[in-house]
Amino acid sequence: MEFDIRQSTGHLMVHVMKLHRHTFHKLTEEYDIFPGQPPLLFRLHEKDGQSQKELAESMRVKPATLTVMINRMVKNGHVVRRPDPVDQRVSRVFLTDRGRSVMDSVREALALLEEISFRSFSAEDKQLFHRQLQQMAKDLSGFDAGRHPEGGSTTEME
Amino acid sequence: MEFDIRQSTGHLMVHVMKLHRHTFHKLTEEYDIFPGQPPLLFRLHEKDGQSQKELAESMRVKPATLTVMINRMVKNGHVVRRPDPVDQRVSRVFLTDRGRSVMDSVREALALLEEISFRSFSAEDKQLFHRQLQQMAKDLSGFDAGRHPEGGSTTEME
DNA sequence: TCCATATGTTTAGCCGACTAACTATATCTC
DNA sequence: GAGATATAGTTAGTCGGCTAAACATATGGA
């Protein structure tokens, strides 16, 4: 019996995440915020003025991705870039007033999205689901690490 | 107590799907196949010569997305486009020999990906997980439908 | 001091998804 | 039959992610 992609859970996950992203976009487009951006906003809210490298690492995104994203968010007035005074290579990112003011609405939108996604889950089921995802992340990055034996342990998974 | 995006399950899901996509890409790049393309390949394998509109619907993707994807797959020699003989508006898509020959490897890669993703799940847990995702898809599209009361029922979820 | 190397960011180009606007062909209706 | 409308596909432009290569600035060592 062959593996049927169309009935695989992986395929279903892709579909669900498309819906998830789409719903979030609908909930936040009025603030000129797009689905990849909240993680940046919230990290800056926690600690303003981080370097792009710090942000990229913490967001698990490549620096090149951040460069482009930040350009857009500067254009939309959510953040500003200021060069580090002592090391001219690094540029530090700061929330603007607009960025700060938009945060609450975005947080609410995310809370709503979470509520919708898990509204049919019991508390225990959601916890289990969360732990299962953590395990899946571990298994997926473990496999990847196995094929690139160089690098570090990659077992620490926040 | 504020909603903490960084600990939300939605956030974790996004991360897991990034790993999932990345792992799949690594497993198939040698065949010039990219993560969005297997659904097209498998649908054509099931029924060759479908129109782009049929494919777009079944893949739950917009026709514009397919146009571009098919262009690439034509370039890579996986499929060909042939105009429908009776309706000159529609173009039908067919697997090439290469497309057909690549399928088995891609199916194996997907089976492996599924194995890796769920290797820590018991059979029951995986079933539960699958059902929970279906429910989540229903809840997410239900919410979306609620904001666009026109459209159809959108409750049929294959 | 000067060159080599290391580090932080940017640029260019690719894939996947979307929307909006446009083209081309069919079909329907008067 | 001619014009209006509907349908299929394409094009252009956007966002998010990536890699590879370029650029800029620091820092090290000889």
Side-chain angles (χ1 to χ4, degrees), chain A residues 3-19:
Chain A
F3 173 72
D4 182 359
I5 183 192
R6 295 182 62 170
Q7 307 206 341
S8 71
T9 306
H11 188 57
L12 177 55
M13 287 176 76
V14 171
H15 174 54
V16 168
M17 291 316 287
K18 207 152 69 180
L19 290 172

Side-chain angles (χ1 to χ4, degrees), chain A residues 21 34 36-37 61-62 64-65 69 72 87-89:
Chain A
R21 190 176 196 79
F34 294 81
Q37 302 175 356
V61 145
K62 295 291 170 273
T65 301
M69 187 185 295
R72 288 175 185 138
D87 188 336
Q88 298 301 120
R89 288 171 305 182

Side-chain angles (χ1 to χ4, degrees), chain A residues 23-35 37 76 78 98 101-102 105-106 108-109 112, chain B residues 147:
Chain A
T23 303
F24 177 67
H25 182 49
K26 286 300 167 200
L27 288 174
T28 54
E29 57 186 342
E30 65 180 298
Y31 311 110
D32 295 322
I33 285 293
F34 294 81
Q37 302 175 356
N76 287 336
H78 294 116
R98 181 177 193 210
S101 85
V102 130
S105 315
V106 173
E108 273 168 40
L112 175 56
Chain B
R147 330 185 83 212

